[in-house]
Amino acid sequence: MLARRFQATYGMVCMTLVTTFTLPTTRGDEGMYLFNDLPLEQLQARYDFRPSDAWAEHLQQASVRFNSGGSGSFVSSQGLVLTNHHVASDTLQKLSSAERNLIRDGFLATDHAQELRAPDLELNQLQSIEDVTDRVNASVSEGDSPDEAAKKRRGMIATIEKESLDQTGMRSDVVTLFGGAAYHLYRSRRYTDVRLVWAPETAAAFFGGDADNFEYPRYNLDATLFRVYENGQPARVEHFLRWSETPVVDGDLVFVSGHPGRTQRIFTLDALRYLRDQRLPHVLDTLRRKEILMQQFSLEGQEAARRARDELFGIQNARKAYTGMLRGLQNPATMSSKGASEARLLSRLEQSESSAAMTEAWREIAVVSEERAATLKDSVSLRSDLFQLALRIVLLTAENAKPNEERLAEYSEAARASLLNRVLSPAPLYRDLERVKLADELAKLAEYRGFEDELVAEVLAGRSPEQVASAAVAETQLMDVSVRKQLIDGGSEAVSASDDPMIRMALQFESAYRASRAAGESLDERERQAYAVVTAAKRLIDGKGGYPDATFTLRLAYGTVKGYQEDGQQVEPLTQMAGAFEHAKEHEDQKDFELPNSWYQAESRLDPAIPLNFVCTADIIGGNSGSPVVNRAGELVGLIFDGNIQSLTSDYLYTDEQARAVSVASQAITHAIEVIYQAPKLAAELGR
Amino acid sequence: MLARRFQATYGMVCMTLVTTFTLPTTRGDEGMYLFNDLPLEQLQARYDFRPSDAWAEHLQQASVRFNSGGSGSFVSSQGLVLTNHHVASDTLQKLSSAERNLIRDGFLATDHAQELRAPDLELNQLQSIEDVTDRVNASVSEGDSPDEAAKKRRGMIATIEKESLDQTGMRSDVVTLFGGAAYHLYRSRRYTDVRLVWAPETAAAFFGGDADNFEYPRYNLDATLFRVYENGQPARVEHFLRWSETPVVDGDLVFVSGHPGRTQRIFTLDALRYLRDQRLPHVLDTLRRKEILMQQFSLEGQEAARRARDELFGIQNARKAYTGMLRGLQNPATMSSKGASEARLLSRLEQSESSAAMTEAWREIAVVSEERAATLKDSVSLRSDLFQLALRIVLLTAENAKPNEERLAEYSEAARASLLNRVLSPAPLYRDLERVKLADELAKLAEYRGFEDELVAEVLAGRSPEQVASAAVAETQLMDVSVRKQLIDGGSEAVSASDDPMIRMALQFESAYRASRAAGESLDERERQAYAVVTAAKRLIDGKGGYPDATFTLRLAYGTVKGYQEDGQQVEPLTQMAGAFEHAKEHEDQKDFELPNSWYQAESRLDPAIPLNFVCTADIIGGNSGSPVVNRAGELVGLIFDGNIQSLTSDYLYTDEQARAVSVASQAITHAIEVIYQAPKLAAELGR
């Protein structure tokens, strides 16, 4: 299943994205296009189709972004939002308890009163895009050092965002695109009263489990419905997607509107080598360590397994995705292909006047990559929810004392509401799980930095990682939302005076965290400037146009419903409802291949021929999970939920030879809600 | 469960053990004593017990070593051998097929004809120990460099072993003890016709699975019976253990006779820091990688899971054991305790004349540890059974051309029979499993050494690790034992001329493997010499005596049956048969907590009060699995199968505060065989 954004999987851990971009020479249906720069000519040329402004505006406004990492769409005038079960699972987990296991058992609200409010979901609906490139760049003077330039840009971005927020009340994000060649202000409506309406059982949503994940053919009902509320009432929504009356068929042109999280298509060969040789092996070691840790915790019993479920799933999903990415890079064919285009570009550049200055950028990227490799184990944070809450509180109160334009990005005025939504979330936390995670994170910190390291010595203070974690988790008061609120309201003074062990620990980390973050942002800036030059070089050779690398902002992709060849066999693009039962039967000896009882009870009433899943060539990546798939008429035909195993290289290389996006067919969703989940009223509301 | 020796788990991968030793200042019941240097005075003083020569001789001769990694004992005059199910599982796996799953379902031969011959088991029964220290040392001249000295010693050892083999026909191993202060020739009878008689279901043997592993209280029937044959008939055995008529009770003095694999009690603080900061984190990364790989493979279906079962179990067991070892080292209390004794020794040494020369040894160990840390990722082999077979064949044919005393140790004349027993094993190999393992090993090789590395470039030759692995595994003929035999018989010429892709790959690795091994042996020798000085220093301060660190040779440990305190609760030393059923009920929601049907069917006929498992303070470590536990009368009272979680630090620090060895009570074995497995004839043979 498509990786949810990694930072989303790990709650509030912030990951700085290097926003880079890709240019013209696209292959097949490649591209994740900005809604203010749609590929109209390509679509005309390739598919004889030209979307109208109204078509695009409607699709944009019907699309939503989930702060838990993923995409979705409005599907009724009464605020219904369709997304994936695996995007919703973060919320399903938080709404569950020992007595109510929504992840395993699913959920159905038969009326509005039964709908369950998500503790900390925020949905964003993009309203407008404004180009603020000139204003951002004007803040920088010639002769500024990279660090000074970065600081000024960040300051100007904070100012623009705050102005916009003050003027419109809307969430305002300045997005860096094309390696800093463009800055766009994205204004979004925020929905924070989001309620769960319907979710199927995991056995249906994630049928086939980890074994089938990223495979095809598939038979998954990876769908969930939420409803957004305003002022305590279901929101009235103007732009929502209607259901297509006819299901997709082989060869159909389709569009995907969603929020791809991050791609690295612009990466130079040296940057890809860094990924292959350093970063991905390191990330995989970390993921496997966490996976085993969560598995071991889950062995303690059913309730322990329930508590660790969503995190374990996220880790397994990421591990499988990164494994595929690394395998792709370890295939010399990938590097040759990337190397050939780079060599072609560089050799053409040689004839240009500014060739020397431009190729310097490639060297700078190689140097930055080497410096990054050296910092992979400079761990300065701990992936424990309680610790992260403490660190947020420490940073928030300290940043509040600074002028808006000097703050760390996520503590700016414009970002404040979204941050507080997270920090003050009433979502449950589990001391047993936190203790195990924190102990391992502290052990890892000591392994990475060494026991003689100043930070490690200060934090451990002669105790073992387990002893420190046990004491801190047992004694912290941060489980209590009101304690968090009091600390935030009390500001730096209250934080300094606090004897909460988790707050004390966060204070011990604060300066190392700030130093590491500053160093990282400095590397980001150098890389950004170098990629801006690479961009210019590409434009010089290939001409203007194209799409920027993914940045978790709204994009449009397109493609056709199309099968592919695998091991000499043709894989058909569509599966049908009947296939799910056959698939279960073929794998009856395997874990995670049992359909829920609700399916068997409804089997005789189901239409066996109704399409269940399908693949298409649209260019997607993690973050696209939950994206609507629409036809030429802008009607809903599917719901993106995965890429096949061959698509795992899409991070750095699109190909439509075998790589495919995998969707739930829209008809299967209504049919299942009606026949299996017996909610005809809900089914009737969809698309109306 | 006690880690089987790691090299055993991984088949024929050879791991050079640095044989070091420990001296007097023992705590409580600490010690793994040589049978030719038993702790008679301690036993007299502590327990008023003095074993006679006949008592010791009988116990020694009744003990056997398994080449699959583990211990056992003769328990009938007709050659029955008792060991753990988890020691036997390597053989159970090899005797299983898609149609016959002995690991899961267990086995019972109702007569000799039904007994199943193990494809490659070798059991060793120690016959005599001879001190050959003077002869080995006489081979070295003053002024020899460490490498020259090591070479001469190895040559002399090969010569002594071959002479002994020629004279006696017995397996002859010269064992390095006390850091090279002593060399003993161990002569053993080899049994290679070993047949499976009885094994319980894994659900009974490994009841509680990975969750309960290394925990206590326990309720495991971790036992299996083999029978050794000579000339096609059950071997007539003079020394076998009789069953004690009375079960052990709290406070009983007991003895453990077995083959502890490796301890590192002599390690200096710097060497322990190397373990804590470098080696163990690295080993754990490797184990977790392999564990996830085998889990993923197992997801493919029941047959895939069966094929990977024993390897996955071995990895999980090792991962849990190493995690405990690392946690112990990460506890500052451990390092303080070790540091305090080292500081005391060093400060006393200061008054000695040779102080400076001696403390130099501590520095040398620190330097060697640093050099080892730098080589952790110098991978020059691949953990795939097919590749290992190929490498053995390549090395064997090359080494055969050299004089005996110049060969790599395991290719010497004396070691030849045991090696061939492995290389020509008819045990099944699975192409699907081998492909997955080899692909990952090749990927790891490239990650560790870099894609530009000469060896990596030569092996991959422009293909991806997966492509190389797929081709080699698909095309190799080494699955066929007769092909292996032909290559060995054909010698270097046949090997050079072979176009078998696995042989070609092994040839590509040969020189890097030899270079790396030589470098490793050179580090070993420097370390050995340094630890010999540390030994001398300890003797100077503490006096002579004590026991050498474990070397997978026969040792005697002693202790008492005794509970312990955990989290403020008293843990009783014994569990009873009834407890197994209660334990299953308490954990009915958990995987691996279901007893087999055979147990439920027999429940009403079982004696609920019969002791099932017990703990004692005897000093054991991985390799002791399957060791008999006897009472003062030398009668069998138990069967070692595990250490508790607190014992996982025993590798470098014995303590009897909480650390305990865990055994199956001997009465439970006979009772289960009689009542549950309904084999009264077999039960009657035990101890007779």
Side-chain angles (χ1 to χ4, degrees):
Chain A
M1 142 174 341
L2 284 174
R4 293 178 294 184
R5 289 173 82 217
F6 196 58
Q7 64 274 41
T9 306
Y10 279 95
M12 299 179 310
V13 179
C14 175
M15 181 187 285
T16 309
L17 296 176
V18 178
T19 51
T20 52
F21 78 109
T22 313
L23 275 172
T25 349
T26 54
R27 314 170 177 218
D29 296 328
E30 178 175 355
M32 303 166 168
Y33 296 90
L34 298 171
F35 266 77
N36 56 344
D37 189 16
L38 294 177
L40 302 177
E41 279 151 39
Q42 277 124 290
L43 281 170
Q44 185 73 61
R46 289 176 67 88
Y47 294 107
D48 191 24
F49 176 73
R50 190 171 187 94
S52 67
D53 289 352
W55 184 98
E57 172 73 14
H58 176 70
L59 186 55
Q60 174 188 315
Q61 297 263 354
S63 302
V64 295
R65 178 169 79 170
F66 278 69
N67 68 335
S68 58
S71 304
S73 57
F74 284 116
V75 289
S76 91
S77 57
Q78 300 287 308
L80 277 183
V81 172
L82 176 66
T83 188
N84 292 142
H85 181 272
H86 79 272
V87 170
S89 68
D90 172 67
T91 297
L92 297 173
Q93 177 84 36
K94 289 172 177 168
L95 288 172
S96 293
S97 63
E99 293 74 35
R100 182 172 75 174
N101 191 336
L102 300 183
I103 291 216
R104 185 190 60 200
D105 303 333
F107 177 77
L108 176 68
T110 52
D111 57 33
H112 291 344
Q114 287 186 5
E115 294 172 2
L116 298 174
R117 182 164 180 172
D120 51 19
L121 261 191
E122 174 181 324
L123 267 49
N124 297 139
Q125 178 194 27
L126 178 61
Q127 298 295 307
S128 70
I129 306 176
E130 184 184 332
D131 191 331
V132 293
T133 311
D134 292 343
R135 201 172 161 202
V136 171
N137 285 338
S139 67
V140 180
S141 316
E142 252 187 77
D144 283 344
S145 75
D147 284 358
E148 283 166 346
K151 200 179 155 193
K152 288 183 176 174
R153 278 200 201 95
R154 278 202 306 275
M156 180 52 72
I157 286 171
T159 302
I160 293 171
E161 287 175 344
K162 179 162 191 314
E163 276 177 18
S164 169
L165 172 68
D166 290 346
Q167 282 164 19
T168 65
M170 282 199 276
R171 177 172 170 141
S172 301
D173 300 287
V174 171
V175 180
T176 306
L177 300 165
F178 291 107
Y183 294 90
H184 291 180
L185 171 62
Y186 276 56
R187 288 201 185 96
S188 313
R189 191 184 289 242
R190 292 175 70 224
Y191 292 98
T192 53
D193 185 350
V194 185
R195 306 191 191 176
L196 179 65
V197 176
W198 165 78
E201 310 88 336
T202 288
F206 196 41
F207 178 49
D210 195 24
D212 261 11
N213 199 10
F214 298 111
E215 301 290 343
Y216 200 76
R218 289 285 278 288
Y219 311 88
N220 292 27
L221 190 69
D222 192 353
T224 288
L225 287 167
F226 287 101
R227 192 187 301 279
V228 296
Y229 278 67
E230 283 184 309
N231 306 318
Q233 293 298 320
R236 300 301 304 252
V237 173
E238 185 191 344
H239 294 284
F240 61 90
L241 299 177
R242 291 176 196 281
W243 247 246
S244 164
E245 293 205 357
T246 51
V248 285
V249 294
D250 199 351
D252 274 0
L253 173 65
V254 292
F255 300 86
V256 176
S257 169
H259 302 83
R262 184 187 46 173
T263 52
Q264 299 163 327
R265 305 251 170 103
I266 187 80
F267 267 31
T268 65
L269 213 51
D270 283 318
L272 288 173
R273 281 198 198 100
Y274 158 69
L275 275 190
R276 181 191 68 184
D277 299 339
Q278 309 284 344
R279 178 155 170 75
L280 293 183
H282 170 75
V283 168
L284 280 164
D285 273 343
T286 312
L287 286 169
R288 288 185 292 243
R289 175 183 187 133
K290 210 91 189 174
E291 183 168 353
I292 299 289
L293 187 78
M294 290 296 97
Q295 285 181 357
Q296 289 288 300
F297 180 80
S298 302
L299 286 180
E300 288 172 24
Q302 198 165 304
E303 172 60 7
R306 187 194 69 74
R307 292 178 179 191
R309 172 66 182 76
D310 188 54
E311 179 152 9
L312 179 55
F313 157 73
I315 293 164
Q316 288 177 325
N317 191 50
R319 183 255 308 143
K320 201 161 176 182
Y322 279 110
T323 302
M325 275 176 69
L326 181 56
R327 280 200 191 141
L329 288 171
Q330 289 176 339
N331 187 341
T334 307
M335 296 305 250
S336 311
S337 155
K338 282 284 191 178
S341 15
E342 185 166 293
R344 188 184 52 82
L345 181 68
L346 287 170
S347 97
R348 290 221 209 151
L349 263 191
E350 271 176 26
Q351 285 124 47
S352 127
E353 275 177 28
S354 43
S355 159
M358 285 189 164
T359 51
E360 180 54 37
W362 268 262
R363 266 190 295 277
E364 173 73 352
I365 290 164
V367 170
V368 169
S369 297
E370 268 176 44
E371 292 184 30
R372 282 196 194 284
T375 66
L376 281 174
K377 294 194 167 185
D378 284 355
S379 180
V380 287
S381 188
L382 305 169
R383 281 182 165 169
S384 127
D385 292 345
L386 282 169
F387 177 83
Q388 287 298 322
L389 282 172
L391 186 62
R392 298 286 134 182
I393 291 168
V394 165
L395 292 171
L396 177 64
T397 48
E399 293 294 296
N400 274 348
K402 296 181 188 171
N404 182 45
E405 62 276 15
E406 289 176 18
R407 295 185 198 160
L408 294 171
E410 68 273 29
Y411 298 95
S412 71
E413 291 296 324
R416 193 181 166 87
S418 298
L419 181 75
L420 285 179
N421 187 47
R422 289 274 194 175
V423 175
L424 300 178
S425 166
L429 292 161
Y430 302 103
R431 288 194 203 266
D432 52 358
L433 183 57
E434 287 294 308
R435 187 170 52 240
V436 164
K437 283 161 64 178
L438 187 61
D440 190 61
E441 286 289 302
L442 286 166
K444 183 149 66 77
L445 184 85
E447 288 163 34
Y448 282 5
R449 301 178 69 98
F451 280 79
E452 323 302 321
D453 173 81
E454 211 178 316
L455 175 62
V456 173
E458 190 186 346
V459 172
L460 295 185
R463 297 162 299 168
S464 71
E466 281 178 312
Q467 289 164 342
V468 174
S470 290
V473 171
E475 292 159 25
T476 184
Q477 301 295 312
L478 296 186
M479 310 276 286
D480 184 343
V481 178
S482 67
V483 171
R484 287 178 233 157
K485 191 156 186 333
Q486 277 164 29
L487 283 164
I488 292 169
D489 293 346
S492 292
E493 265 179 57
V495 166
S496 310
S498 167
D499 60 359
D500 188 286
M502 211 59 80
I503 293 286
R504 302 310 313 165
M505 204 189 291
L507 285 167
Q508 290 172 328
F509 274 82
E510 186 184 0
S511 69
Y513 173 83
R514 288 184 181 277
S516 158
R517 181 151 171 181
E521 288 182 354
S522 178
L523 287 178
D524 293 349
E525 178 64 21
R526 285 167 57 196
E527 204 168 57
R528 203 153 31 220
Q529 294 189 5
Y531 276 119
V533 176
V534 172
T535 304
K538 290 206 169 190
R539 285 188 169 168
L540 194 69
I541 304 301
D542 292 335
K544 213 166 172 303
Y547 64 97
D549 261 319
T551 49
F552 203 39
T553 49
L554 190 67
R555 303 295 180 90
L556 185 76
Y558 62 87
T560 52
V561 175
K562 193 176 173 186
Y564 56 100
Q565 293 276 318
E566 188 176 51
D567 301 331
Q569 302 286 314
Q570 174 68 17
V571 180
E572 293 305 325
L574 287 121
T575 66
Q576 289 75 32
M577 199 60 103
F581 295 93
E582 288 157 25
H583 197 59
K585 208 162 183 187
E586 281 162 21
H587 296 265
E588 62 188 347
D589 62 347
Q590 281 172 262
K591 200 175 146 270
D592 297 326
F593 281 87
E594 208 174 336
L595 286 165
N597 282 338
S598 60
W599 282 55
Y600 287 109
Q601 280 163 14
E603 189 176 359
S604 63
R605 286 171 286 119
L606 285 168
D607 177 353
I610 215 164
L612 181 47
N613 290 172
F614 67 89
V615 289
C616 71
T617 59
D619 188 1
I620 60 153
I621 200 79
N624 268 119
S625 287
S627 300
V629 185
V630 300
N631 59 16
R632 290 174 187 241
E635 299 160 339
L636 193 79
V637 294
L639 169 67
I640 293 285
F641 76 97
D642 207 358
N644 64 359
I645 207 112
Q646 293 87 349
S647 77
L648 289 175
T649 54
S650 299
D651 212 61
Y652 43 82
L653 187 68
Y654 172 90
T655 146
D656 61 4
E657 200 189 322
Q658 294 180 297
R660 293 293 182 274
V662 187
S663 300
V664 187
S666 56
Q667 272 76 12
I669 298 168
T670 34
H671 191 56
I673 289 177
E674 216 172 332
V675 179
I676 301 174
Y677 299 98
Q678 304 184 34
K681 213 176 91 191
L682 182 60
E685 188 189 336
L686 293 171
R688 302 260 159 80
Chain B
M1 149 172 334
L2 285 173
R4 293 177 295 186
R5 289 173 82 218
F6 196 58
Q7 64 273 42
T9 306
Y10 278 95
M12 299 179 311
V13 178
C14 175
M15 181 188 285
T16 310
L17 297 176
V18 179
T19 51
T20 52
F21 78 109
T22 313
L23 275 170
T25 349
T26 53
R27 312 171 179 220
D29 295 328
E30 179 176 354
M32 303 167 169
Y33 296 90
L34 298 170
F35 266 77
N36 56 345
D37 188 17
L38 294 177
L40 303 177
E41 280 151 38
Q42 276 125 291
L43 282 170
Q44 184 75 59
R46 288 177 66 90
Y47 294 107
D48 191 25
F49 176 73
R50 190 169 186 94
S52 67
D53 288 352
W55 185 97
E57 173 73 12
H58 176 69
L59 185 56
Q60 173 189 316
Q61 297 262 356
S63 302
V64 295
R65 179 169 78 169
F66 278 69
N67 68 336
S68 59
S71 304
S73 58
F74 285 116
V75 289
S76 91
S77 57
Q78 301 287 309
L80 277 184
V81 172
L82 176 65
T83 188
N84 293 142
H85 181 272
H86 80 272
V87 170
S89 68
D90 173 67
T91 297
L92 297 173
Q93 176 84 38
K94 289 172 176 170
L95 289 171
S96 293
S97 64
E99 295 74 36
R100 182 172 75 175
N101 190 336
L102 300 184
I103 292 217
R104 185 189 60 200
D105 303 332
F107 178 77
L108 176 68
T110 51
D111 58 34
H112 291 344
Q114 288 186 4
E115 294 172 2
L116 299 174
R117 182 164 179 171
D120 52 18
L121 260 191
E122 175 181 322
L123 268 48
N124 297 140
Q125 178 193 29
L126 178 60
Q127 298 294 307
S128 69
I129 306 175
E130 185 185 330
D131 190 331
V132 294
T133 312
D134 292 344
R135 200 172 159 202
V136 171
N137 285 337
S139 66
V140 180
S141 315
E142 253 187 75
D144 282 346
S145 74
D147 283 359
E148 283 166 345
K151 201 180 156 191
K152 287 183 176 175
R153 277 200 200 95
R154 277 202 306 274
M156 179 52 73
I157 286 171
T159 302
I160 294 171
E161 288 175 345
K162 178 161 192 316
E163 276 177 19
S164 169
L165 172 68
D166 290 346
Q167 283 164 19
T168 65
M170 282 198 279
R171 175 172 171 140
S172 301
D173 300 286
V174 171
V175 179
T176 306
L177 300 166
F178 292 107
Y183 295 91
H184 291 180
L185 171 61
Y186 276 56
R187 288 201 184 95
S188 313
R189 190 184 290 243
R190 291 176 69 226
Y191 292 98
T192 54
D193 185 349
V194 185
R195 306 191 190 175
L196 178 66
V197 177
W198 165 77
E201 310 88 336
T202 288
F206 195 41
F207 178 48
D210 196 23
D212 261 11
N213 200 7
F214 298 112
E215 301 289 343
Y216 200 77
R218 289 286 277 286
Y219 310 89
N220 291 27
L221 190 69
D222 192 353
T224 288
L225 288 167
F226 288 102
R227 190 188 301 280
V228 295
Y229 278 67
E230 282 183 311
N231 306 317
Q233 294 299 317
R236 299 302 302 254
V237 173
E238 185 191 345
H239 294 285
F240 61 90
L241 299 178
R242 291 175 196 282
W243 247 246
S244 163
E245 294 205 357
T246 51
V248 285
V249 294
D250 198 353
D252 273 2
L253 172 65
V254 292
F255 301 86
V256 177
S257 169
H259 302 82
R262 183 187 47 173
T263 52
Q264 299 162 327
R265 306 251 170 103
I266 187 82
F267 267 30
T268 64
L269 212 52
D270 283 318
L272 289 173
R273 280 199 198 99
Y274 159 68
L275 276 189
R276 181 192 68 183
D277 299 339
Q278 310 284 343
R279 181 157 167 74
L280 293 182
H282 171 75
V283 167
L284 279 164
D285 273 342
T286 312
L287 286 169
R288 288 184 292 242
R289 176 183 186 133
K290 210 93 188 171
E291 182 168 354
I292 298 288
L293 187 79
M294 291 296 97
Q295 285 181 359
Q296 289 286 300
F297 179 80
S298 302
L299 285 181
E300 287 171 25
Q302 199 166 303
E303 173 59 7
R306 187 194 68 74
R307 291 177 180 193
R309 173 66 182 75
D310 187 53
E311 180 153 8
L312 179 56
F313 157 73
I315 294 164
Q316 289 177 323
N317 191 49
R319 183 255 309 145
K320 200 161 176 181
Y322 279 110
T323 301
M325 274 177 69
L326 181 56
R327 280 203 189 139
L329 288 171
Q330 288 177 340
N331 186 341
T334 308
M335 295 306 250
S336 311
S337 156
K338 281 286 192 177
S341 16
E342 186 165 292
R344 187 183 53 80
L345 181 69
L346 287 169
S347 97
R348 290 220 210 151
L349 263 191
E350 270 176 28
Q351 285 124 48
S352 126
E353 275 176 29
S354 44
S355 159
M358 285 190 164
T359 52
E360 180 55 37
W362 267 263
R363 265 190 295 278
E364 173 74 351
I365 289 163
V367 170
V368 169
S369 297
E370 266 175 45
E371 292 184 30
R372 283 196 193 283
T375 65
L376 280 174
K377 293 193 165 183
D378 283 355
S379 180
V380 287
S381 187
L382 305 169
R383 282 183 165 169
S384 126
D385 292 344
L386 282 169
F387 176 84
Q388 287 298 321
L389 283 172
L391 186 62
R392 299 287 134 182
I393 292 168
V394 165
L395 292 170
L396 176 64
T397 49
E399 294 293 298
N400 275 349
K402 298 179 186 171
N404 182 44
E405 61 277 15
E406 289 178 16
R407 295 185 198 159
L408 294 171
E410 67 274 29
Y411 298 95
S412 70
E413 291 296 324
R416 193 182 167 86
S418 297
L419 180 75
L420 285 178
N421 187 47
R422 288 274 195 173
V423 176
L424 300 177
S425 166
L429 292 161
Y430 302 103
R431 288 195 203 264
D432 52 357
L433 182 58
E434 287 293 307
R435 187 170 53 240
V436 164
K437 281 161 64 178
L438 187 60
D440 189 62
E441 287 289 302
L442 286 165
K444 182 149 64 80
L445 185 85
E447 288 163 35
Y448 284 4
R449 301 177 69 99
F451 281 79
E452 322 302 321
D453 172 84
E454 211 179 315
L455 175 63
V456 172
E458 190 185 346
V459 172
L460 295 185
R463 296 162 301 166
S464 71
E466 280 179 313
Q467 290 164 343
V468 174
S470 290
V473 171
E475 292 158 26
T476 184
Q477 302 295 312
L478 296 186
M479 309 277 285
D480 184 343
V481 178
S482 68
V483 171
R484 288 177 232 158
K485 191 159 186 333
Q486 277 164 30
L487 283 164
I488 292 168
D489 293 346
S492 292
E493 266 181 55
V495 165
S496 310
S498 167
D499 60 359
D500 188 288
M502 210 60 80
I503 293 285
R504 304 311 311 166
M505 204 189 293
L507 285 167
Q508 290 172 328
F509 274 82
E510 186 185 0
S511 70
Y513 173 83
R514 287 183 181 278
S516 159
R517 179 150 172 181
E521 288 182 353
S522 178
L523 286 178
D524 293 348
E525 178 63 20
R526 284 167 57 196
E527 203 168 57
R528 203 151 34 221
Q529 294 188 5
Y531 276 118
V533 175
V534 172
T535 304
K538 290 206 170 190
R539 284 187 170 168
L540 195 69
I541 304 300
D542 293 333
K544 214 167 171 302
Y547 64 97
D549 261 318
T551 51
F552 203 40
T553 49
L554 190 67
R555 303 295 179 92
L556 184 75
Y558 61 87
T560 53
V561 175
K562 192 177 171 185
Y564 56 100
Q565 292 277 318
E566 189 175 50
D567 301 331
Q569 302 285 314
Q570 173 68 16
V571 179
E572 293 303 324
L574 287 120
T575 65
Q576 289 74 33
M577 200 59 103
F581 295 93
E582 288 158 25
H583 197 58
K585 208 161 182 188
E586 281 162 20
H587 296 264
E588 64 188 346
D589 62 346
Q590 281 171 262
K591 200 175 147 272
D592 297 326
F593 282 87
E594 207 174 337
L595 286 165
N597 282 337
S598 60
W599 282 54
Y600 287 108
Q601 280 162 15
E603 189 176 359
S604 63
R605 285 171 287 119
L606 284 169
D607 177 352
I610 214 163
L612 181 47
N613 288 173
F614 66 88
V615 289
C616 71
T617 59
D619 187 2
I620 61 155
I621 200 80
N624 268 117
S625 286
S627 300
V629 185
V630 301
N631 59 17
R632 289 172 188 244
E635 299 160 339
L636 192 78
V637 293
L639 170 65
I640 292 284
F641 75 96
D642 207 357
N644 65 0
I645 207 110
Q646 292 88 348
S647 77
L648 289 174
T649 54
S650 299
D651 212 61
Y652 41 83
L653 187 68
Y654 172 90
T655 148
D656 61 5
E657 199 189 322
Q658 294 180 297
R660 292 292 180 276
V662 187
S663 300
V664 187
S666 57
Q667 271 77 9
I669 299 168
T670 34
H671 192 56
I673 289 178
E674 215 170 333
V675 179
I676 302 174
Y677 299 98
Q678 304 184 35
K681 214 177 91 192
L682 182 59
E685 188 190 335
L686 293 171
R688 301 258 160 80

